Amino acid sequence: MAKEILLTGDRPTGQLHLGHYVGSLKKRVELQDNPNYKLYVFIADMQALTDNARDPEKIRRNLIEVALDYLSVGIDPNKATIFIQSQIPELTELTTYYMNLVTLSRLHRIPTIKSEIIDRKFGESIPAGFLAYPVSQAADITAFNAKYVPGGEDQEPIIEVTREIVRAFNSIYGDILVEPKMILSENEVCRRLPGIDGNGKMSKSLGNAIYLADEPKVVQKKIMDMYTDPQHLRVEDPGHLEGNIPFIYLRAFCKPEHFAKYLPEYDSLEAMENHYQKGGLGDGKVKKFLNAILQEELEPIREKRHYYEAHIDEVYDILEKGSIEARKVAQETLKKVREVIGIEYFQDTTLRQMYHEKYKEVK
Ligand code: TRP
């Protein structure tokens, strides 16, 4: 049986953080090991340029950072194809054809785009390329015939637009594009991990992220600074769990075996939560437990990163090989797309014949 294709990417505007990790990176590593799937992972530098056109250096500086993060979490170049978006020019041509199948008002209505326009304070000055990035994302996905896109919740409305473009394309030109579905984390907390300050989701622009590359001391400091329950002043006071960041993170990271190892007085997260709500469990203790768990999870990632940091040429090789391999696949899709639209004029003998017939009499 042919393998099902999974594809996903990240904008290189900064290092990747715990939100990326629980929302998508972990899933990718798990799926790359499944023989039923083939995984493509790419660095979306063209998409990053849609709101950073005047600061390309930022993208250049973060390109290898993202590659290092991929390799350090265990995305394996022998199993997955890792590539750079801008090295596949076929994607831009596909984008041009897809652009005709979606309206400007549809793009304006995408919730993710709406909130990004507000976050970036574009006002009325929205770069056309930014508004259209969901169209180029449709090209990324369809070029590789991807059926599944692992990612965070915020990607869902964008993938919906890909599906609309695919349906429109297939109904007009012929059934050649694959309609993708998202793969979200089963754990709801992981789909939208909040930042350490409790203000919305973790993001580099909000400055509330724990990065995969953070050193142990930095991770610990960020955990100690986490937003908890402002009404929980003394240990004896009853505490609240809503919006309590250490508890939300425990729901994302804590496994039963962590209790025996680091906090044997509780046998489950529920028991710990109950105690906190009743009163008698201090935030410091919760944070210490979370710190032990996160340090354990991040240590092997950091170690792997240090290896690749010392072997940058290896990282470049992986990206270059991956980009060459990916380009071949995109070229095949583009060829089919051009054929069904009917613009492969020099190969299209039927069109030539049609003109011969039409002007036969003229001679
Ligand atoms: N939008 C994604 C992000 O913000 C990056 C991305 C670009 C992507 N093209 C994609 C993700 C295709 C999944 C599939 O990080």
Side-chain angles (χ1 to χ4, degrees):
M1 204 189 74
K3 292 188 183 212
E4 312 245 57
I5 312 291
L6 296 147
L7 170 137
T8 188
D10 301 273
R11 298 179 199 172
T13 50
Q15 293 180 333
L16 301 183
H17 52 60
L18 285 183
H20 297 113
Y21 181 63
V22 293
S24 173
L25 294 170
K26 258 178 138 168
K27 194 86 204 170
R28 300 179 199 176
V29 176
E30 187 187 311
L31 291 167
Q32 77 177 350
D33 292 325
N34 185 326
N36 299 323
Y37 296 113
K38 161 77 194 174
L39 175 66
Y40 289 89
V41 179
F42 71 100
I43 305 175
D45 58 338
M46 286 196 288
Q47 187 172 115
L49 281 168
T50 65
D51 62 337
N52 291 286
R54 286 173 175 75
D55 188 10
E57 195 49 33
K58 176 171 162 192
I59 311 306
R60 278 167 57 77
R61 279 199 322 268
N62 283 299
L63 186 85
I64 296 298
E65 300 296 339
V66 173
L68 288 168
D69 288 327
Y70 285 166
L71 295 166
S72 66
V73 297
I75 293 174
D76 179 347
N78 295 313
K79 297 175 187 156
T81 302
I82 309 175
F83 67 96
I84 304 175
Q85 187 186 27
S86 62
Q87 306 310 297
I88 322 291
E90 288 71 19
L91 298 175
T92 58
E93 188 174 334
L94 285 175
T95 303
T96 301
Y97 303 134
Y98 296 170
M99 206 84 90
N100 306 324
L101 302 175
V102 65
T103 63
L104 285 177
S105 67
R106 179 67 182 95
L107 295 172
H108 275 291
R109 279 201 311 274
I110 301 172
T112 308
I113 295 287
K114 278 207 242 175
S115 64
E116 285 177 332
I117 285 171
I118 295 167
D119 290 348
R120 287 161 180 66
K121 305 188 171 64
F122 281 143
E124 295 298 301
S125 311
I126 307 164
F130 182 83
L131 189 66
Y133 89 65
V135 185
S136 115
Q137 193 155 330
D140 302 335
I141 295 168
T142 55
F144 300 93
N145 308 306
K147 188 159 173 197
Y148 298 105
V149 178
E153 227 171 27
D154 58 335
Q155 296 299 301
E156 182 64 50
I158 296 175
I159 306 305
E160 181 57 35
V161 172
T162 298
R163 284 193 286 267
E164 290 167 17
I165 290 172
V166 167
R167 279 183 223 130
F169 186 99
N170 286 348
S171 76
I172 301 166
Y173 303 112
D175 219 350
I176 62 164
L177 301 180
V178 177
E179 243 186 79
K181 289 189 197 68
M182 282 219 72
I183 299 187
L184 294 166
S185 168
E186 298 88 23
N187 183 340
E188 203 166 325
V189 175
C190 296
R191 296 187 197 166
R192 197 172 197 283
L193 193 74
I196 55 171
D197 57 358
N199 290 327
K201 78 167 199 171
M202 181 175 285
S203 85
K204 48 208 158 212
S205 51
L206 293 175
N208 61 7
I210 295 178
Y211 294 96
L212 295 171
D214 278 347
E215 290 301 323
K217 279 219 164 63
V218 177
V219 174
Q220 185 178 10
K221 165 120 188 22
K222 287 179 177 175
I223 292 172
M224 294 308 155
D225 289 346
M226 276 180 178
Y227 179 85
T228 60
D229 171 8
Q231 281 154 36
H232 186 240
L233 298 173
R234 293 167 305 164
V235 173
E236 317 83 79
D237 290 339
H240 297 89
L241 298 174
E242 307 84 67
N244 193 316
I245 301 301
F247 275 105
I248 294 176
Y249 280 44
L250 284 176
R251 255 171 262 152
F253 289 97
C254 171
K255 293 183 216 126
E257 60 265 29
H258 288 138
F259 287 96
K261 200 160 166 194
Y262 301 117
L263 202 59
E265 53 196 287
Y266 300 103
D267 56 8
S268 68
L269 187 54
E270 290 71 43
M272 199 178 160
E273 287 175 342
N274 286 339
H275 192 195
Y276 188 82
Q277 286 173 301
K278 268 200 225 110
L281 171 56
D283 287 323
K285 195 159 173 177
V286 180
K287 288 177 171 175
K288 236 176 114 184
F289 181 48
L290 176 63
N291 183 54
I293 294 171
L294 285 185
Q295 298 292 357
E296 179 182 317
E297 183 100 26
L298 291 174
E299 180 56 30
I301 297 176
R302 201 180 292 120
E303 247 174 56
K304 228 172 174 174
R305 199 179 209 277
H306 288 159
Y307 168 84
Y308 283 107
E309 285 168 355
H311 297 83
I312 292 295
D313 289 337
E314 226 176 280
V315 180
Y316 269 86
D317 275 352
I318 290 167
L319 293 174
E320 195 174 3
K321 282 207 191 81
S323 299
I324 290 168
E325 194 186 310
R327 188 166 182 196
K328 289 189 190 130
V329 181
Q331 278 168 336
E332 271 174 45
T333 304
L334 180 63
K335 184 164 172 284
K336 274 196 246 156
V337 162
R338 291 174 57 107
E339 275 166 14
V340 296
I341 298 179
I343 54 177
E344 284 293 17
Y345 304 119
F346 300 117
Q347 275 93 61
D348 188 346
T349 52
T350 58
L351 184 64
R352 193 180 287 245
Q353 196 53 40
M354 189 273 281
Y355 282 115
H356 277 297
E357 300 286 325
K358 182 174 178 188
Y359 295 111
K360 188 159 64 194
E361 313 301 328
V362 181
K363 276 183 277 179

